[in-house]
Structures are given as structure tokens and as C-alpha cells.
Amino acid sequence: MAKKNAGLGRGLSAILGEVEEAYQNDLNDNSGLVVEIDLDKIKPNPLQPRKIFDAASLQELAASIEEHGLLQPILIYEDSQQPEHYFLIAGERRLRASKLAKKESIKAIIVDVQEEKLRELALIENIQREDLNPMDLAQSYKELIEDYGITHEEVAKRLSKSRTQITNTLRLLELDEKVQAMILENKISQGHAKVLVTLSKEQQLLVANSIIGQKLSVHDTEKIVRQFKEESKNAKNLESKKDSSSSKMLHHDSIVKLKEICEDLQSQSIRANLVKNKLIVEFSNDEEVEKFSKILPIHGF
């Protein structure tokens, strides 16, 4: 079937708008954008933000495609080095499931877009179309921000999400790597993860293992985290009191030493006084200075 391009000569927002129209319209019509492409002519997406694909979920999607057909076309662009072959931009789950369903071809929209826009298009289309794992989503946000030099606010506007949601999701990247792996493997939820991010990495791993081992709810996890924070706060207060007590003892010992030195100096007829915890010494001659220098070592100075 002859290929039909979406987005010729237009910007990214125009392309996404046309793709949205194709998704929403009846696939038998949809303004002629959707074409049928042989599966063996489509190469994996080199920019795919999703890292893990759940096998059971793919099998379910494959069964649905066998029974009902593909309800959403994938998004592809032509390989400039190999005509009539394509790279996937978005829809890798649909592509994999179609292969599992032993389909020979798949409905697709071919996009003609500038190379520098492909990464952004892949990231945004995947974020909007697929139920990404929270860690994959956080990584996608990070890549958009770093690659295009935009703010959290700009990402939020571009994706029609709140800035707080973008920021909170990005914070998941601060989690311990082992905890991130647990989220990728769907062993703990995003709700759990948002609670864990407030802990130290050592505590994160400890609580994450407890979540899995004891099947803790988010509410249970919040209780444990509050307990950790309370214990940490109490420990800091105790340490602060110890430091204060040590400081007072040190101060007292220093005053006692200064008094002893002052008395020693006075016994040698050297004018010395302790004023506001400061030792003030007045010398009349070099001999008194020499006596003073001999007295200090006796007191540990």
C-alpha cells in the first residue's frame, strides 16, 4: 500500500495534533493517514524510553489484537538509508504484541519529521500514549529537560500536566538504584516510591524490602517512614544535647586552668587578673616574661 506521511513541513505540535486526530477517528477513514506496513520492515525504536516490557501484559494485548484487531496505529518514520523500511517512534508494545499474535502487517502512521525532533517526538508520544513505568516516565522527563534545556514548568505545559506532578516524578531518580529496579519490575508502586524518596538511601532499601516481604500498603509505609524520621530527629536532639554538655564541661575546665595560671603568676609577683574569663597579664621586665613562659608548660600549654 502507498505510504502517506503525517506532518510534512510542519512543527512538532502540528504533527502531534494530526496523530491525535488519526487516533480518535475511525481507522477505516481517519483522513487517509493510516497505512498497513509489513512487520518485517519495521525496526525497533532507538529512542524507546520504556526499558522493561511485562510478558503477561504483552500476551494479553496480543490476544486482544487477535480478537479485535489493532485499535491504535503505531508511529514510524522511514529509514533514509533503506527505502521502504522504517524505524518505530511509538507503539513498541503494540508492535511486539502484533508479532506475538503472528500478524504479518500492522497499521501505522508514517511521520516525516526533522531528525532533531525525532527524540522529542518519541518521548512525548510515548509519555502520552503508553502507561509508562514511573521510572521510565521520570527518565523521559529528565531527557526532555536536559536535551531541550526546558524547565519543569515548560514540560508540564507541553504535556498538560501539573508542575508538581513533573517535579515529584523526577524525584524518583534520587532513589537508590536497587529501589529504582524494584519500581521498574513493578515490585513496589509509585505511591510507595514517593514516600521512600524522603529517606536516606540505606533506609530506602530497608523499607523497600519490607514493602515487598510484608506486602505493606502505602499507608503502612507512611507510618514506617514517620517512625524513621521521628527516631532520626530524636537522635539528632540527643547528639545536640551531648555536644552542648561537652562544650560546657570543656568551658568549665578551661576556666579552672586559667585560674590556676593566674594564681601561679600572682605568686611570682607578676600582675595577672582573670576578667570575664580572660587572663590579662602585665609584664614589667624580661624576667617576668621568662617566668611566664616557664609556668605555661606546667599547666599543659
Side-chain angles (χ1 to χ4, degrees):
M1 184 174 181
K3 67 180 182 182
K4 299 173 185 177
N5 291 335
L8 282 168
R10 290 193 293 276
L12 183 61
S13 59
I15 294 171
L16 287 174
E18 194 155 341
V19 171
E20 178 68 26
E21 178 188 349
Y23 282 155
Q24 290 179 353
N25 288 342
D26 184 344
L27 293 181
N28 293 322
D29 179 12
N30 59 46
S31 305
L33 284 174
V34 179
V35 295
E36 198 82 18
I37 301 291
D38 291 343
L39 283 172
D40 59 8
K41 291 185 177 181
I42 301 173
K43 302 173 185 179
N45 180 2
L47 308 171
Q48 171 60 251
R50 185 188 294 272
K51 301 298 182 286
I52 293 178
F53 294 84
D54 182 77
S57 176
L58 280 177
Q59 197 61 58
E60 288 176 7
L61 182 55
S64 174
I65 290 172
E66 282 187 283
E67 184 176 355
H68 305 292
L70 186 67
L71 300 182
Q72 270 193 346
I74 61 173
L75 202 60
I76 58 177
Y77 70 97
E78 190 167 16
D79 181 358
S80 59
Q81 305 300 317
Q82 191 176 9
E84 300 299 324
H85 285 74
Y86 307 88
F87 281 108
L88 185 69
I89 296 176
E92 189 155 341
R93 286 184 71 251
R94 282 164 272 165
L95 182 66
R96 290 183 181 217
S98 294
K99 289 179 179 179
L100 281 175
K102 302 192 183 305
K103 298 291 183 179
E104 293 184 357
S105 63
I106 189 170
K107 289 181 172 63
I109 296 173
I110 303 171
V111 174
D112 186 4
V113 62
Q114 295 176 341
E115 289 288 331
E116 62 268 21
K117 288 290 185 182
L118 285 172
R119 184 172 180 79
E120 185 178 1
L121 181 59
L123 285 168
I124 292 179
E125 216 283 344
N126 270 281
I127 289 169
Q128 291 177 333
R129 300 292 161 214
E130 305 286 3
D131 182 21
L132 282 180
N133 180 281
M135 293 313 309
D136 289 335
L137 190 60
Q139 188 61 40
S140 295
Y141 290 163
K142 181 184 177 184
E143 289 175 11
L144 276 176
I145 289 167
E146 292 181 349
D147 289 357
Y148 299 95
I150 57 180
T151 64
H152 291 198
E153 189 71 35
E154 288 169 326
V155 171
K157 287 180 181 178
R158 195 168 297 198
L159 300 175
S160 300
K161 299 180 184 292
S162 70
R163 185 198 60 76
T164 301
Q165 183 179 354
I166 300 296
T167 301
N168 286 342
T169 301
L170 281 165
R171 288 192 69 197
L172 299 181
L173 296 173
E174 300 171 13
L175 288 165
D176 180 88
E177 288 183 3
K178 291 181 180 178
V179 177
Q180 291 187 33
M182 293 175 189
I183 300 169
L184 278 169
E185 294 164 7
N186 293 314
K187 292 181 177 178
I188 59 178
S189 70
Q190 184 170 4
H192 289 113
K194 286 181 179 178
V195 180
L196 293 177
V197 79
T198 61
L199 297 173
S200 69
K201 291 193 174 183
E202 183 180 346
Q203 291 172 334
Q204 289 170 12
L205 193 56
L206 178 62
V207 177
N209 285 325
S210 297
I211 292 170
I212 297 169
Q214 301 178 41
K215 302 188 184 304
L216 299 178
S217 68
V218 173
H219 183 64
D220 292 333
T221 306
E222 287 173 340
K223 285 183 179 178
I224 293 175
V225 170
R226 279 197 297 269
Q227 184 179 344
F228 266 119
K229 289 183 177 179
E230 190 63 32
E231 288 174 356
S232 178
K233 182 180 176 182
N234 291 339
K236 284 182 180 178
N237 288 340
L238 182 60
E239 191 64 32
S240 178
K241 287 179 181 178
K242 285 182 179 178
D243 289 345
S244 176
S245 177
S246 296
S247 178
K248 287 178 180 177
M249 289 177 65
L250 182 61
H251 180 68
H252 176 265
D253 290 346
S254 297
I255 297 302
V256 170
K257 277 193 174 185
L258 287 176
K259 285 181 178 178
E260 291 174 351
I261 294 171
C262 185
E263 290 171 358
D264 253 3
L265 291 171
Q266 289 172 347
S267 69
Q268 296 287 333
S269 300
I270 298 173
R271 285 175 293 180
N273 292 288
L274 199 59
V275 180
K276 293 182 179 179
N277 298 329
K278 293 180 181 179
L279 180 63
I280 300 175
V281 184
E282 297 181 44
F283 302 104
S284 301
N285 49 56
D286 292 341
E287 185 182 347
E288 290 182 353
V289 175
E290 188 176 347
K291 287 180 180 179
F292 177 72
S293 65
K294 291 179 180 179
I295 288 173
L296 286 180
I298 296 173
H299 294 278
F301 289 94

